[in-house]
Amino acid sequence: MAWQEKDNALHQVFTFKDFSEAFAFMSRVALLAEKHDHHPDWKNSYNKVEIALSSHDKGNTVTDRDRKLATAIDKLLERN
């Protein structure tokens, strides 16, 4: 599934084998987000991670910074 733009944010749901894989992914995304000076809104339920990206400092809109982080998150999954 690709990132979907709705409600002024980029949204994506990621599904993993189990909680450990989901949590490991969240840890990698957290480090990546810090590197991009971005802090996603997200939630986790067992093996699912839902991420919403928007630039709060730009009026809660989708910006190039959000798109760049979304691309970087996708690349994390390509490595596995």
Side-chain angles (χ1 to χ4, degrees):
M1 182 174 178
W3 291 89
Q4 302 292 316
E5 189 169 340
K6 64 179 181 180
D7 301 324
N8 295 320
L10 293 176
H11 294 267
Q12 173 73 284
V13 177
F14 300 90
T15 304
F16 299 92
K17 181 179 77 174
D18 55 27
F19 176 75
S20 293
E21 281 191 10
F23 194 85
F25 171 73
M26 290 178 71
S27 295
R28 291 192 317 268
V29 171
L31 294 172
L32 188 61
E34 273 298 304
K35 191 175 184 178
H36 283 252
D37 192 28
H38 202 312
H39 304 95
D41 293 320
W42 58 7
K43 70 179 184 174
N44 165 248
S45 179
Y46 181 59
N47 69 333
K48 291 189 186 208
V49 177
E50 295 180 39
I51 300 177
L53 302 175
S54 68
S55 293
H56 305 295
D57 60 341
K58 301 292 183 190
N60 294 318
T61 60
V62 176
T63 66
D64 283 340
R65 185 171 59 175
D66 304 299
R67 289 183 180 89
K68 287 177 184 174
L69 181 55
T71 298
I73 290 169
D74 288 343
K75 287 182 180 179
L76 284 176
L77 296 172
E78 291 173 4
R79 294 181 200 160
N80 292 331

